Amino acid sequence: MPDVTDTELCPAEFLGEDRPSRSLSMPWQINVALTTRCPLNCPQCYVKADEARDIDWAVLAAYVAEAAALKMHELNLSGGEPLSYPRLAEAVRLATAAGLGTAVATSGVGLTAALAKELAASGLGSLWLSLNGSREEIHALSRTCFRETLTAAALLKSLGLPFYINWVARQDNAGDFPALAAKARDLGAKGIVVLVLKPDSRHNAGAVLTGEAFFRLAAFLRDYDDPAMPIEVESCYSAMRLAVHGEWTTGIEAGCSAGRDTVAIDVAGRLRPCPHLDSAEAGVTIAEYWRRSPALAALRATEETIGAPCRGCGHLPFCRPCRAKAAKVYGDPAAGDRQCPVALREMTRHLFR
Ligand SMILES: C[S@@+](CC[C@H](N)C(=O)[O-])C[C@H]1O[C@@H](n2cnc3c(N)ncnc32)[C@H](O)[C@@H]1O
């Protein structure tokens, strides 16, 4: 992450006169959906595509050129399945030549030795394999193709190419996390990121962690100490970050990063606050979108507009829960996290004195 204290903040006029600046002057990273194609059909997946579609190459190239001109740092390439996008290595080369870092999130399905070597030679910064369980029975509750992901991990290890694990925290796999961490070490992973589940009202709503599972996972993460395979909690899982690290990060680095330091491009080439938030704007440059988008301005005002139990919560300066969950489950991107285990524990603490 850039040092935000050294970075010029978004000019106040773009946020509204009465609102403090709560974003970098330009985004730091950009999430790109390269394709809707995917050989998997994972039960948890938020990408519900009716048709197979790839991002238009000219549109992608124009965004890469603009991102480089804006001195952005990183392009996260996802989908769909990025390995199903025929020009993936070319996209990595384009970004690398423009001076941008790259990361690819993948199931590993379709990874060959030739493609892995080509991606590495193209300058790929990091490769993230999605693994939701240490065993097939656990992984299969939310994702498919466990064996293929392990095969991809073994291939990368045999080629000496580094990779990391993306793990989504769910009620049906939270208890398995210590075993998953051991498995990741055996596979040769360089690290794990704990992702927050982004449910919507139809999918996954019952898979959000109960308080008990949440605090058990937090205790494991707090005690975990293996510098050879670090485990990080993504910033939008800010309640978990609080439970693990206490009041650790503030300002732009705390919580949901949409419109603060991150932006997304969907497969239709439209700009969005993040891949999980549906509001999309077409026909604007990244710079115009960053400065003028009403959706981004609203996200930057979350501290003032957020509902209960987050409104008035003493942790709010250190925690801005996932806005996509608020939009999808409660139909309001400003809704508070009504399932927040930290808030619920604090509200009921007096009952147990
Ligand atoms: C949508 S996938 C696309 C890349 C690739 N096909 C893969 O499987 O990794 C990117 C990441 O999002 C995660 N993901 C999918 N649905 C999710 C959800 N509802 N909430 C949180 N993460 C989710 C996946 O597990 C994966 O790690």
Side-chain angles (χ1 to χ4, degrees), residues 129-134 138 165-170 173-177 180 192-196 209 217 221 237:
L129 284 179
S130 300
L131 190 65
N132 275 6
S134 67
I138 308 277
I165 302 284
N166 269 333
W167 178 82
V168 179
R170 303 169 48 93
N173 68 0
D176 178 60
F177 188 76
L180 184 283
I192 303 175
V193 164
V194 173
L195 304 177
V196 67
L209 269 63
L217 176 60
L221 294 171
Y237 204 176

mmCIF file with all atom_site columns, all heavy atoms in Angstrom, residues 129-134 138 165-170 173-177 180 192-196 209 217 221 237:
data_model
loop_
_atom_site.group_PDB
_atom_site.id
_atom_site.type_symbol
_atom_site.label_atom_id
_atom_site.label_alt_id
_atom_site.label_comp_id
_atom_site.label_asym_id
_atom_site.label_entity_id
_atom_site.label_seq_id
_atom_site.pdbx_PDB_ins_code
_atom_site.Cartn_x
_atom_site.Cartn_y
_atom_site.Cartn_z
_atom_site.occupancy
_atom_site.B_iso_or_equiv
_atom_site.pdbx_formal_charge
_atom_site.auth_seq_id
_atom_site.auth_comp_id
_atom_site.auth_asym_id
_atom_site.auth_atom_id
_atom_site.pdbx_PDB_model_num
ATOM 1   N N   . LEU A 1 129 ? -4.578  -18.693 -5.939 1.00 0.00 ? 129 LEU A N   1
ATOM 2   C CA  . LEU A 1 129 ? -5.440  -19.861 -6.158 1.00 0.00 ? 129 LEU A CA  1
ATOM 3   C C   . LEU A 1 129 ? -6.567  -19.831 -5.135 1.00 0.00 ? 129 LEU A C   1
ATOM 4   O O   . LEU A 1 129 ? -6.323  -19.623 -3.941 1.00 0.00 ? 129 LEU A O   1
ATOM 5   C CB  . LEU A 1 129 ? -4.639  -21.151 -5.962 1.00 0.00 ? 129 LEU A CB  1
ATOM 6   C CG  . LEU A 1 129 ? -3.686  -21.575 -7.082 1.00 0.00 ? 129 LEU A CG  1
ATOM 7   C CD1 . LEU A 1 129 ? -2.968  -22.855 -6.675 1.00 0.00 ? 129 LEU A CD1 1
ATOM 8   C CD2 . LEU A 1 129 ? -4.425  -21.775 -8.401 1.00 0.00 ? 129 LEU A CD2 1
ATOM 9   N N   . SER A 1 130 ? -7.780  -20.082 -5.591 1.00 0.00 ? 130 SER A N   1
ATOM 10  C CA  . SER A 1 130 ? -8.931  -20.064 -4.686 1.00 0.00 ? 130 SER A CA  1
ATOM 11  C C   . SER A 1 130 ? -9.152  -21.449 -4.101 1.00 0.00 ? 130 SER A C   1
ATOM 12  O O   . SER A 1 130 ? -9.387  -22.413 -4.843 1.00 0.00 ? 130 SER A O   1
ATOM 13  C CB  . SER A 1 130 ? -10.182 -19.621 -5.441 1.00 0.00 ? 130 SER A CB  1
ATOM 14  O OG  . SER A 1 130 ? -9.981  -18.335 -5.960 1.00 0.00 ? 130 SER A OG  1
ATOM 15  N N   . LEU A 1 131 ? -9.074  -21.538 -2.792 1.00 0.00 ? 131 LEU A N   1
ATOM 16  C CA  . LEU A 1 131 ? -9.232  -22.825 -2.111 1.00 0.00 ? 131 LEU A CA  1
ATOM 17  C C   . LEU A 1 131 ? -10.050 -22.580 -0.845 1.00 0.00 ? 131 LEU A C   1
ATOM 18  O O   . LEU A 1 131 ? -9.627  -21.822 0.029  1.00 0.00 ? 131 LEU A O   1
ATOM 19  C CB  . LEU A 1 131 ? -7.838  -23.379 -1.753 1.00 0.00 ? 131 LEU A CB  1
ATOM 20  C CG  . LEU A 1 131 ? -7.764  -24.813 -1.247 1.00 0.00 ? 131 LEU A CG  1
ATOM 21  C CD1 . LEU A 1 131 ? -8.190  -25.801 -2.333 1.00 0.00 ? 131 LEU A CD1 1
ATOM 22  C CD2 . LEU A 1 131 ? -6.341  -25.137 -0.786 1.00 0.00 ? 131 LEU A CD2 1
ATOM 23  N N   . ASN A 1 132 ? -11.217 -23.192 -0.762 1.00 0.00 ? 132 ASN A N   1
ATOM 24  C CA  . ASN A 1 132 ? -12.092 -22.918 0.384  1.00 0.00 ? 132 ASN A CA  1
ATOM 25  C C   . ASN A 1 132 ? -12.110 -24.030 1.427  1.00 0.00 ? 132 ASN A C   1
ATOM 26  O O   . ASN A 1 132 ? -12.869 -23.945 2.391  1.00 0.00 ? 132 ASN A O   1
ATOM 27  C CB  . ASN A 1 132 ? -13.525 -22.628 -0.088 1.00 0.00 ? 132 ASN A CB  1
ATOM 28  C CG  . ASN A 1 132 ? -13.717 -21.173 -0.471 1.00 0.00 ? 132 ASN A CG  1
ATOM 29  O OD1 . ASN A 1 132 ? -12.763 -20.411 -0.480 1.00 0.00 ? 132 ASN A OD1 1
ATOM 30  N ND2 . ASN A 1 132 ? -14.934 -20.793 -0.798 1.00 0.00 ? 132 ASN A ND2 1
ATOM 31  N N   . GLY A 1 133 ? -11.284 -25.069 1.246  1.00 0.00 ? 133 GLY A N   1
ATOM 32  C CA  . GLY A 1 133 ? -11.257 -26.127 2.258  1.00 0.00 ? 133 GLY A CA  1
ATOM 33  C C   . GLY A 1 133 ? -9.992  -26.952 2.138  1.00 0.00 ? 133 GLY A C   1
ATOM 34  O O   . GLY A 1 133 ? -9.388  -27.034 1.065  1.00 0.00 ? 133 GLY A O   1
ATOM 35  N N   . SER A 1 134 ? -9.613  -27.561 3.244  1.00 0.00 ? 134 SER A N   1
ATOM 36  C CA  . SER A 1 134 ? -8.429  -28.433 3.230  1.00 0.00 ? 134 SER A CA  1
ATOM 37  C C   . SER A 1 134 ? -8.769  -29.791 2.634  1.00 0.00 ? 134 SER A C   1
ATOM 38  O O   . SER A 1 134 ? -7.901  -30.544 2.237  1.00 0.00 ? 134 SER A O   1
ATOM 39  C CB  . SER A 1 134 ? -7.893  -28.620 4.650  1.00 0.00 ? 134 SER A CB  1
ATOM 40  O OG  . SER A 1 134 ? -8.835  -29.367 5.430  1.00 0.00 ? 134 SER A OG  1
ATOM 41  N N   . ILE A 1 138 ? -15.223 -30.192 2.296  1.00 0.00 ? 138 ILE A N   1
ATOM 42  C CA  . ILE A 1 138 ? -15.422 -28.820 2.797  1.00 0.00 ? 138 ILE A CA  1
ATOM 43  C C   . ILE A 1 138 ? -15.436 -27.841 1.616  1.00 0.00 ? 138 ILE A C   1
ATOM 44  O O   . ILE A 1 138 ? -16.351 -27.016 1.483  1.00 0.00 ? 138 ILE A O   1
ATOM 45  C CB  . ILE A 1 138 ? -14.267 -28.411 3.754  1.00 0.00 ? 138 ILE A CB  1
ATOM 46  C CG1 . ILE A 1 138 ? -14.068 -29.453 4.862  1.00 0.00 ? 138 ILE A CG1 1
ATOM 47  C CG2 . ILE A 1 138 ? -14.488 -27.007 4.302  1.00 0.00 ? 138 ILE A CG2 1
ATOM 48  C CD1 . ILE A 1 138 ? -14.953 -29.335 6.034  1.00 0.00 ? 138 ILE A CD1 1
ATOM 49  N N   . ILE A 1 165 ? -2.934  -18.225 -1.591 1.00 0.00 ? 165 ILE A N   1
ATOM 50  C CA  . ILE A 1 165 ? -4.280  -18.809 -1.507 1.00 0.00 ? 165 ILE A CA  1
ATOM 51  C C   . ILE A 1 165 ? -5.296  -17.722 -1.157 1.00 0.00 ? 165 ILE A C   1
ATOM 52  O O   . ILE A 1 165 ? -5.090  -16.943 -0.221 1.00 0.00 ? 165 ILE A O   1
ATOM 53  C CB  . ILE A 1 165 ? -4.349  -19.903 -0.414 1.00 0.00 ? 165 ILE A CB  1
ATOM 54  C CG1 . ILE A 1 165 ? -3.341  -21.032 -0.671 1.00 0.00 ? 165 ILE A CG1 1
ATOM 55  C CG2 . ILE A 1 165 ? -5.775  -20.439 -0.246 1.00 0.00 ? 165 ILE A CG2 1
ATOM 56  C CD1 . ILE A 1 165 ? -3.692  -22.013 -1.734 1.00 0.00 ? 165 ILE A CD1 1
ATOM 57  N N   . ASN A 1 166 ? -6.409  -17.699 -1.888 1.00 0.00 ? 166 ASN A N   1
ATOM 58  C CA  . ASN A 1 166 ? -7.590  -16.905 -1.531 1.00 0.00 ? 166 ASN A CA  1
ATOM 59  C C   . ASN A 1 166 ? -8.578  -17.832 -0.845 1.00 0.00 ? 166 ASN A C   1
ATOM 60  O O   . ASN A 1 166 ? -9.015  -18.828 -1.446 1.00 0.00 ? 166 ASN A O   1
ATOM 61  C CB  . ASN A 1 166 ? -8.268  -16.355 -2.800 1.00 0.00 ? 166 ASN A CB  1
ATOM 62  C CG  . ASN A 1 166 ? -7.747  -14.985 -3.209 1.00 0.00 ? 166 ASN A CG  1
ATOM 63  O OD1 . ASN A 1 166 ? -7.282  -14.206 -2.379 1.00 0.00 ? 166 ASN A OD1 1
ATOM 64  N ND2 . ASN A 1 166 ? -7.825  -14.693 -4.495 1.00 0.00 ? 166 ASN A ND2 1
ATOM 65  N N   . TRP A 1 167 ? -8.938  -17.534 0.372  1.00 0.00 ? 167 TRP A N   1
ATOM 66  C CA  . TRP A 1 167 ? -9.879  -18.370 1.131  1.00 0.00 ? 167 TRP A CA  1
ATOM 67  C C   . TRP A 1 167 ? -11.033 -17.490 1.600  1.00 0.00 ? 167 TRP A C   1
ATOM 68  O O   . TRP A 1 167 ? -10.812 -16.464 2.237  1.00 0.00 ? 167 TRP A O   1
ATOM 69  C CB  . TRP A 1 167 ? -9.162  -18.992 2.342  1.00 0.00 ? 167 TRP A CB  1
ATOM 70  C CG  . TRP A 1 167 ? -10.013 -19.841 3.227  1.00 0.00 ? 167 TRP A CG  1
ATOM 71  C CD1 . TRP A 1 167 ? -10.361 -21.148 3.055  1.00 0.00 ? 167 TRP A CD1 1
ATOM 72  C CD2 . TRP A 1 167 ? -10.603 -19.449 4.486  1.00 0.00 ? 167 TRP A CD2 1
ATOM 73  N NE1 . TRP A 1 167 ? -11.132 -21.588 4.111  1.00 0.00 ? 167 TRP A NE1 1
ATOM 74  C CE2 . TRP A 1 167 ? -11.292 -20.570 5.001  1.00 0.00 ? 167 TRP A CE2 1
ATOM 75  C CE3 . TRP A 1 167 ? -10.614 -18.267 5.232  1.00 0.00 ? 167 TRP A CE3 1
ATOM 76  C CZ2 . TRP A 1 167 ? -11.981 -20.545 6.226  1.00 0.00 ? 167 TRP A CZ2 1
ATOM 77  C CZ3 . TRP A 1 167 ? -11.304 -18.226 6.444  1.00 0.00 ? 167 TRP A CZ3 1
ATOM 78  C CH2 . TRP A 1 167 ? -11.975 -19.365 6.926  1.00 0.00 ? 167 TRP A CH2 1
ATOM 79  N N   . VAL A 1 168 ? -12.263 -17.880 1.269  1.00 0.00 ? 168 VAL A N   1
ATOM 80  C CA  . VAL A 1 168 ? -13.440 -17.102 1.683  1.00 0.00 ? 168 VAL A CA  1
ATOM 81  C C   . VAL A 1 168 ? -13.972 -17.690 2.995  1.00 0.00 ? 168 VAL A C   1
ATOM 82  O O   . VAL A 1 168 ? -14.257 -18.887 3.072  1.00 0.00 ? 168 VAL A O   1
ATOM 83  C CB  . VAL A 1 168 ? -14.546 -17.152 0.610  1.00 0.00 ? 168 VAL A CB  1
ATOM 84  C CG1 . VAL A 1 168 ? -15.769 -16.360 1.061  1.00 0.00 ? 168 VAL A CG1 1
ATOM 85  C CG2 . VAL A 1 168 ? -14.026 -16.601 -0.722 1.00 0.00 ? 168 VAL A CG2 1
ATOM 86  N N   . ALA A 1 169 ? -14.088 -16.846 4.014  1.00 0.00 ? 169 ALA A N   1
ATOM 87  C CA  . ALA A 1 169 ? -14.557 -17.295 5.331  1.00 0.00 ? 169 ALA A CA  1
ATOM 88  C C   . ALA A 1 169 ? -16.068 -17.516 5.301  1.00 0.00 ? 169 ALA A C   1
ATOM 89  O O   . ALA A 1 169 ? -16.834 -16.603 4.983  1.00 0.00 ? 169 ALA A O   1
ATOM 90  C CB  . ALA A 1 169 ? -14.203 -16.254 6.391  1.00 0.00 ? 169 ALA A CB  1
ATOM 91  N N   . ARG A 1 170 ? -16.480 -18.731 5.634  1.00 0.00 ? 170 ARG A N   1
ATOM 92  C CA  . ARG A 1 170 ? -17.896 -19.105 5.624  1.00 0.00 ? 170 ARG A CA  1
ATOM 93  C C   . ARG A 1 170 ? -18.192 -19.957 6.852  1.00 0.00 ? 170 ARG A C   1
ATOM 94  O O   . ARG A 1 170 ? -17.297 -20.588 7.414  1.00 0.00 ? 170 ARG A O   1
ATOM 95  C CB  . ARG A 1 170 ? -18.205 -19.930 4.361  1.00 0.00 ? 170 ARG A CB  1
ATOM 96  C CG  . ARG A 1 170 ? -17.868 -19.270 3.058  1.00 0.00 ? 170 ARG A CG  1
ATOM 97  C CD  . ARG A 1 170 ? -17.957 -20.253 1.897  1.00 0.00 ? 170 ARG A CD  1
ATOM 98  N NE  . ARG A 1 170 ? -19.183 -21.013 1.922  1.00 0.00 ? 170 ARG A NE  1
ATOM 99  C CZ  . ARG A 1 170 ? -20.306 -20.672 1.271  1.00 0.00 ? 170 ARG A CZ  1
ATOM 100 N NH1 . ARG A 1 170 ? -20.317 -19.610 0.493  1.00 0.00 ? 170 ARG A NH1 1
ATOM 101 N NH2 . ARG A 1 170 ? -21.394 -21.404 1.367  1.00 0.00 ? 170 ARG A NH2 1
ATOM 102 N N   . ASN A 1 173 ? -16.906 -23.515 6.474  1.00 0.00 ? 173 ASN A N   1
ATOM 103 C CA  . ASN A 1 173 ? -15.476 -23.863 6.383  1.00 0.00 ? 173 ASN A CA  1
ATOM 104 C C   . ASN A 1 173 ? -14.610 -23.200 7.451  1.00 0.00 ? 173 ASN A C   1
ATOM 105 O O   . ASN A 1 173 ? -13.400 -23.426 7.503  1.00 0.00 ? 173 ASN A O   1
ATOM 106 C CB  . ASN A 1 173 ? -14.909 -23.542 4.986  1.00 0.00 ? 173 ASN A CB  1
ATOM 107 C CG  . ASN A 1 173 ? -14.848 -22.037 4.693  1.00 0.00 ? 173 ASN A CG  1
ATOM 108 O OD1 . ASN A 1 173 ? -15.222 -21.212 5.526  1.00 0.00 ? 173 ASN A OD1 1
ATOM 109 N ND2 . ASN A 1 173 ? -14.380 -21.683 3.511  1.00 0.00 ? 173 ASN A ND2 1
ATOM 110 N N   . ALA A 1 174 ? -15.235 -22.388 8.317  1.00 0.00 ? 174 ALA A N   1
ATOM 111 C CA  . ALA A 1 174 ? -14.440 -21.623 9.292  1.00 0.00 ? 174 ALA A CA  1
ATOM 112 C C   . ALA A 1 174 ? -13.663 -22.557 10.229 1.00 0.00 ? 174 ALA A C   1
ATOM 113 O O   . ALA A 1 174 ? -12.483 -22.319 10.523 1.00 0.00 ? 174 ALA A O   1
ATOM 114 C CB  . ALA A 1 174 ? -15.336 -20.685 10.088 1.00 0.00 ? 174 ALA A CB  1
ATOM 115 N N   . GLY A 1 175 ? -14.311 -23.640 10.659 1.00 0.00 ? 175 GLY A N   1
ATOM 116 C CA  . GLY A 1 175 ? -13.646 -24.564 11.591 1.00 0.00 ? 175 GLY A CA  1
ATOM 117 C C   . GLY A 1 175 ? -12.492 -25.314 10.934 1.00 0.00 ? 175 GLY A C   1
ATOM 118 O O   . GLY A 1 175 ? -11.614 -25.864 11.622 1.00 0.00 ? 175 GLY A O   1
ATOM 119 N N   . ASP A 1 176 ? -12.490 -25.334 9.623  1.00 0.00 ? 176 ASP A N   1
ATOM 120 C CA  . ASP A 1 176 ? -11.451 -26.045 8.862  1.00 0.00 ? 176 ASP A CA  1
ATOM 121 C C   . ASP A 1 176 ? -10.214 -25.172 8.636  1.00 0.00 ? 176 ASP A C   1
ATOM 122 O O   . ASP A 1 176 ? -9.212  -25.650 8.110  1.00 0.00 ? 176 ASP A O   1
ATOM 123 C CB  . ASP A 1 176 ? -12.066 -26.456 7.505  1.00 0.00 ? 176 ASP A CB  1
ATOM 124 C CG  . ASP A 1 176 ? -11.091 -27.162 6.573  1.00 0.00 ? 176 ASP A CG  1
ATOM 125 O OD1 . ASP A 1 176 ? -10.584 -28.227 6.966  1.00 0.00 ? 176 ASP A OD1 1
ATOM 126 O OD2 . ASP A 1 176 ? -10.836 -26.645 5.463  1.00 0.00 ? 176 ASP A OD2 1
ATOM 127 N N   . PHE A 1 177 ? -10.273 -23.893 9.028  1.00 0.00 ? 177 PHE A N   1
ATOM 128 C CA  . PHE A 1 177 ? -9.182  -23.002 8.638  1.00 0.00 ? 177 PHE A CA  1
ATOM 129 C C   . PHE A 1 177 ? -7.807  -23.436 9.144  1.00 0.00 ? 177 PHE A C   1
ATOM 130 O O   . PHE A 1 177 ? -6.825  -23.390 8.376  1.00 0.00 ? 177 PHE A O   1
ATOM 131 C CB  . PHE A 1 177 ? -9.455  -21.540 9.033  1.00 0.00 ? 177 PHE A CB  1
ATOM 132 C CG  . PHE A 1 177 ? -8.430  -20.623 8.450  1.00 0.00 ? 177 PHE A CG  1
ATOM 133 C CD1 . PHE A 1 177 ? -8.468  -20.277 7.107  1.00 0.00 ? 177 PHE A CD1 1
ATOM 134 C CD2 . PHE A 1 177 ? -7.374  -20.146 9.222  1.00 0.00 ? 177 PHE A CD2 1
ATOM 135 C CE1 . PHE A 1 177 ? -7.474  -19.478 6.544  1.00 0.00 ? 177 PHE A CE1 1
ATOM 136 C CE2 . PHE A 1 177 ? -6.387  -19.346 8.663  1.00 0.00 ? 177 PHE A CE2 1
ATOM 137 C CZ  . PHE A 1 177 ? -6.440  -19.004 7.324  1.00 0.00 ? 177 PHE A CZ  1
ATOM 138 N N   . LEU A 1 180 ? -6.669  -25.893 6.781  1.00 0.00 ? 180 LEU A N   1
ATOM 139 C CA  . LEU A 1 180 ? -6.396  -25.245 5.481  1.00 0.00 ? 180 LEU A CA  1
ATOM 140 C C   . LEU A 1 180 ? -5.025  -24.586 5.498  1.00 0.00 ? 180 LEU A C   1
ATOM 141 O O   . LEU A 1 180 ? -4.259  -24.678 4.525  1.00 0.00 ? 180 LEU A O   1
ATOM 142 C CB  . LEU A 1 180 ? -7.527  -24.232 5.220  1.00 0.00 ? 180 LEU A CB  1
ATOM 143 C CG  . LEU A 1 180 ? -7.627  -23.435 3.920  1.00 0.00 ? 180 LEU A CG  1
ATOM 144 C CD1 . LEU A 1 180 ? -6.657  -22.280 3.842  1.00 0.00 ? 180 LEU A CD1 1
ATOM 145 C CD2 . LEU A 1 180 ? -7.573  -24.286 2.677  1.00 0.00 ? 180 LEU A CD2 1
ATOM 146 N N   . ILE A 1 192 ? -1.710  -16.637 2.640  1.00 0.00 ? 192 ILE A N   1
ATOM 147 C CA  . ILE A 1 192 ? -3.166  -16.800 2.496  1.00 0.00 ? 192 ILE A CA  1
ATOM 148 C C   . ILE A 1 192 ? -3.821  -15.448 2.755  1.00 0.00 ? 192 ILE A C   1
ATOM 149 O O   . ILE A 1 192 ? -3.394  -14.717 3.657  1.00 0.00 ? 192 ILE A O   1
ATOM 150 C CB  . ILE A 1 192 ? -3.726  -17.802 3.532  1.00 0.00 ? 192 ILE A CB  1
ATOM 151 C CG1 . ILE A 1 192 ? -3.047  -19.163 3.416  1.00 0.00 ? 192 ILE A CG1 1
ATOM 152 C CG2 . ILE A 1 192 ? -5.242  -17.951 3.393  1.00 0.00 ? 192 ILE A CG2 1
ATOM 153 C CD1 . ILE A 1 192 ? -3.481  -20.149 4.504  1.00 0.00 ? 192 ILE A CD1 1
ATOM 154 N N   . VAL A 1 193 ? -4.834  -15.135 1.973  1.00 0.00 ? 193 VAL A N   1
ATOM 155 C CA  . VAL A 1 193 ? -5.671  -13.992 2.321  1.00 0.00 ? 193 VAL A CA  1
ATOM 156 C C   . VAL A 1 193 ? -7.062  -14.498 2.683  1.00 0.00 ? 193 VAL A C   1
ATOM 157 O O   . VAL A 1 193 ? -7.638  -15.334 1.979  1.00 0.00 ? 193 VAL A O   1
ATOM 158 C CB  . VAL A 1 193 ? -5.745  -12.945 1.190  1.00 0.00 ? 193 VAL A CB  1
ATOM 159 C CG1 . VAL A 1 193 ? -6.904  -11.996 1.402  1.00 0.00 ? 193 VAL A CG1 1
ATOM 160 C CG2 . VAL A 1 193 ? -4.470  -12.117 1.186  1.00 0.00 ? 193 VAL A CG2 1
ATOM 161 N N   . VAL A 1 194 ? -7.558  -14.020 3.829  1.00 0.00 ? 194 VAL A N   1
ATOM 162 C CA  . VAL A 1 194 ? -8.898  -14.353 4.301  1.00 0.00 ? 194 VAL A CA  1
ATOM 163 C C   . VAL A 1 194 ? -9.862  -13.324 3.717  1.00 0.00 ? 194 VAL A C   1
ATOM 164 O O   . VAL A 1 194 ? -9.754  -12.130 4.013  1.00 0.00 ? 194 VAL A O   1
ATOM 165 C CB  . VAL A 1 194 ? -8.944  -14.334 5.845  1.00 0.00 ? 194 VAL A CB  1
ATOM 166 C CG1 . VAL A 1 194 ? -10.363 -14.512 6.349  1.00 0.00 ? 194 VAL A CG1 1
ATOM 167 C CG2 . VAL A 1 194 ? -8.012  -15.403 6.413  1.00 0.00 ? 194 VAL A CG2 1
ATOM 168 N N   . LEU A 1 195 ? -10.768 -13.802 2.860  1.00 0.00 ? 195 LEU A N   1
ATOM 169 C CA  . LEU A 1 195 ? -11.732 -12.898 2.215  1.00 0.00 ? 195 LEU A CA  1
ATOM 170 C C   . LEU A 1 195 ? -13.066 -12.950 2.963  1.00 0.00 ? 195 LEU A C   1
ATOM 171 O O   . LEU A 1 195 ? -13.469 -14.010 3.451  1.00 0.00 ? 195 LEU A O   1
ATOM 172 C CB  . LEU A 1 195 ? -11.979 -13.331 0.765  1.00 0.00 ? 195 LEU A CB  1
ATOM 173 C CG  . LEU A 1 195 ? -10.770 -13.458 -0.158 1.00 0.00 ? 195 LEU A CG  1
ATOM 174 C CD1 . LEU A 1 195 ? -11.209 -13.960 -1.534 1.00 0.00 ? 195 LEU A CD1 1
ATOM 175 C CD2 . LEU A 1 195 ? -10.061 -12.129 -0.311 1.00 0.00 ? 195 LEU A CD2 1
ATOM 176 N N   . VAL A 1 196 ? -13.739 -11.821 3.016  1.00 0.00 ? 196 VAL A N   1
ATOM 177 C CA  . VAL A 1 196 ? -15.073 -11.797 3.620  1.00 0.00 ? 196 VAL A CA  1
ATOM 178 C C   . VAL A 1 196 ? -16.077 -12.315 2.591  1.00 0.00 ? 196 VAL A C   1
ATOM 179 O O   . VAL A 1 196 ? -15.957 -12.039 1.385  1.00 0.00 ? 196 VAL A O   1
ATOM 180 C CB  . VAL A 1 196 ? -15.437 -10.372 4.105  1.00 0.00 ? 196 VAL A CB  1
ATOM 181 C CG1 . VAL A 1 196 ? -15.608 -9.394  2.954  1.00 0.00 ? 196 VAL A CG1 1
ATOM 182 C CG2 . VAL A 1 196 ? -16.685 -10.393 4.974  1.00 0.00 ? 196 VAL A CG2 1
ATOM 183 N N   . LEU A 1 209 ? -20.622 -16.188 8.968  1.00 0.00 ? 209 LEU A N   1
ATOM 184 C CA  . LEU A 1 209 ? -20.171 -16.795 10.223 1.00 0.00 ? 209 LEU A CA  1
ATOM 185 C C   . LEU A 1 209 ? -21.050 -16.399 11.409 1.00 0.00 ? 209 LEU A C   1
ATOM 186 O O   . LEU A 1 209 ? -21.415 -15.224 11.549 1.00 0.00 ? 209 LEU A O   1
ATOM 187 C CB  . LEU A 1 209 ? -18.731 -16.356 10.528 1.00 0.00 ? 209 LEU A CB  1
ATOM 188 C CG  . LEU A 1 209 ? -17.618 -17.233 9.989  1.00 0.00 ? 209 LEU A CG  1
ATOM 189 C CD1 . LEU A 1 209 ? -17.625 -17.289 8.479  1.00 0.00 ? 209 LEU A CD1 1
ATOM 190 C CD2 . LEU A 1 209 ? -16.273 -16.740 10.500 1.00 0.00 ? 209 LEU A CD2 1
ATOM 191 N N   . LEU A 1 217 ? -12.276 -18.175 14.848 1.00 0.00 ? 217 LEU A N   1
ATOM 192 C CA  . LEU A 1 217 ? -11.345 -17.913 13.742 1.00 0.00 ? 217 LEU A CA  1
ATOM 193 C C   . LEU A 1 217 ? -10.425 -16.738 14.098 1.00 0.00 ? 217 LEU A C   1
ATOM 194 O O   . LEU A 1 217 ? -9.205  -16.789 13.859 1.00 0.00 ? 217 LEU A O   1
ATOM 195 C CB  . LEU A 1 217 ? -12.135 -17.609 12.457 1.00 0.00 ? 217 LEU A CB  1
ATOM 196 C CG  . LEU A 1 217 ? -11.327 -17.228 11.223 1.00 0.00 ? 217 LEU A CG  1
ATOM 197 C CD1 . LEU A 1 217 ? -10.364 -18.353 10.817 1.00 0.00 ? 217 LEU A CD1 1
ATOM 198 C CD2 . LEU A 1 217 ? -12.256 -16.911 10.045 1.00 0.00 ? 217 LEU A CD2 1
ATOM 199 N N   . LEU A 1 221 ? -6.310  -16.637 14.218 1.00 0.00 ? 221 LEU A N   1
ATOM 200 C CA  . LEU A 1 221 ? -5.520  -15.678 13.432 1.00 0.00 ? 221 LEU A CA  1
ATOM 201 C C   . LEU A 1 221 ? -4.649  -14.808 14.345 1.00 0.00 ? 221 LEU A C   1
ATOM 202 O O   . LEU A 1 221 ? -3.511  -14.467 13.995 1.00 0.00 ? 221 LEU A O   1
ATOM 203 C CB  . LEU A 1 221 ? -6.443  -14.798 12.587 1.00 0.00 ? 221 LEU A CB  1
ATOM 204 C CG  . LEU A 1 221 ? -7.209  -15.536 11.473 1.00 0.00 ? 221 LEU A CG  1
ATOM 205 C CD1 . LEU A 1 221 ? -8.254  -14.625 10.833 1.00 0.00 ? 221 LEU A CD1 1
ATOM 206 C CD2 . LEU A 1 221 ? -6.245  -16.049 10.402 1.00 0.00 ? 221 LEU A CD2 1
ATOM 207 N N   . TYR A 1 237 ? -12.934 -6.983  5.246  1.00 0.00 ? 237 TYR A N   1
ATOM 208 C CA  . TYR A 1 237 ? -13.395 -7.811  6.377  1.00 0.00 ? 237 TYR A CA  1
ATOM 209 C C   . TYR A 1 237 ? -12.946 -7.096  7.659  1.00 0.00 ? 237 TYR A C   1
ATOM 210 O O   . TYR A 1 237 ? -12.209 -7.627  8.470  1.00 0.00 ? 237 TYR A O   1
ATOM 211 C CB  . TYR A 1 237 ? -12.770 -9.195  6.282  1.00 0.00 ? 237 TYR A CB  1
ATOM 212 C CG  . TYR A 1 237 ? -13.524 -10.305 6.990  1.00 0.00 ? 237 TYR A CG  1
ATOM 213 C CD1 . TYR A 1 237 ? -13.095 -11.620 6.904  1.00 0.00 ? 237 TYR A CD1 1
ATOM 214 C CD2 . TYR A 1 237 ? -14.661 -10.053 7.738  1.00 0.00 ? 237 TYR A CD2 1
ATOM 215 C CE1 . TYR A 1 237 ? -13.771 -12.657 7.519  1.00 0.00 ? 237 TYR A CE1 1
ATOM 216 C CE2 . TYR A 1 237 ? -15.354 -11.081 8.371  1.00 0.00 ? 237 TYR A CE2 1
ATOM 217 C CZ  . TYR A 1 237 ? -14.899 -12.378 8.246  1.00 0.00 ? 237 TYR A CZ  1
ATOM 218 O OH  . TYR A 1 237 ? -15.578 -13.398 8.863  1.00 0.00 ? 237 TYR A OH  1
#
